[in-house]
Amino acid sequence: MINADAHKLVIITPVYEDFEASGKLFAELHRLFGDTVYVVAIDDGSVRQPLTIDHLAKNGFAGSLISLRRNVGHQKAIAIGLSYAAKHMRDDQFAVVMDSDGEDVPASIEALLRAIDADHVDVVVARRKSRVESLRFKAFYAIYKRIFHLLSGREISFGNFMALRARSVQRLAAMSETWIHVAGAVLASKLRVSFCPLDRGARYAGRSKMNFVGLVLHGLRGLMVFAEDVLVRVGIACAFIGGLSIFGGALTLLLKLLGYATPGWASLSVGLLVLVFLQTGTLALMTLMQTGANRNDLIVKEGAYQDFVASVTLTP
């Protein structure tokens, strides 16, 4: 159990088939923070390299190993870890969410904790100063950030590496958006967010499980958090295009009456513009209907995460 007196910091980290890298992470965390850290490790349905509680205990940690019934994905695993921590944390404790592969550098945690010590900050997120990724990833990420801003009206420039107050953990644990996209949920939570520029590290061992398709899916899930805003903006764009098609049709008819149109040109133009209007009008109507039906502000019931949990093992 998380002891408020002994453990001022709770580390929440998902692990999937990353036994070697996570072991190096735990050893580094213990070297930096000693017994003041409580680790909540979520084994996301690993088959080849499942975690055991000895993996935590041999590094001298107090901690909990949450073994899931199946692989649910990185974001849901973090949401389960947040839900577990929200149930056991005290108000004066802090939590850090980080990956287990070494790309979130343990030495950077001190910078996150210094930033969250301010009274006006609820969450501190890591904004990357430098990246180790390929040029293709960097190009995709730059394009994605612009598309995200265009469709949602918000800026996203951070991932899962973050420090949170206990009340912020409880807030995110109650949000259904957290199960879709953790960073998006932080933006949607209305919590006071501060940014901390940090370098990204290299993996301790192994290769990333995230391929390009998974990366695209992860980006789309970020937009799903703000589905209503996206749908409204799409509806506005459709209405604008529909208005342009009406104006274009009227202008075409005027040119026809004035004798400036060549034979067949006016009919073709009006036909195409009517088709555009009908398509955009239909899409706008579907968008309005979907906006009314789509709501993300559902409250996750306390203990709902336990449906995914096979076992929770505590260190001796």
Side-chain angles (χ1 to χ4, degrees), residues 176-188:
S176 60
E177 294 91 335
T178 307
W179 292 74
I180 301 172
H181 194 273
V182 176
V186 171
L187 290 177

Side-chain angles (χ1 to χ4, degrees), residues 65 189 222 298:
L65 172 60
S189 67
L298 300 176

Side-chain angles (χ1 to χ4, degrees), residues 165-199:
R165 296 181 182 274
R167 62 175 180 268
S168 302
V169 173
Q170 294 167 358
R171 190 182 186 100
L172 289 178
M175 295 175 60
S176 60
E177 294 91 335
T178 307
W179 292 74
I180 301 172
H181 194 273
V182 176
V186 171
L187 290 177
S189 67
K190 309 299 183 184
L191 291 168
R192 297 168 296 179
V193 179
S194 178
F195 298 91
C196 183
L198 297 173
D199 291 323

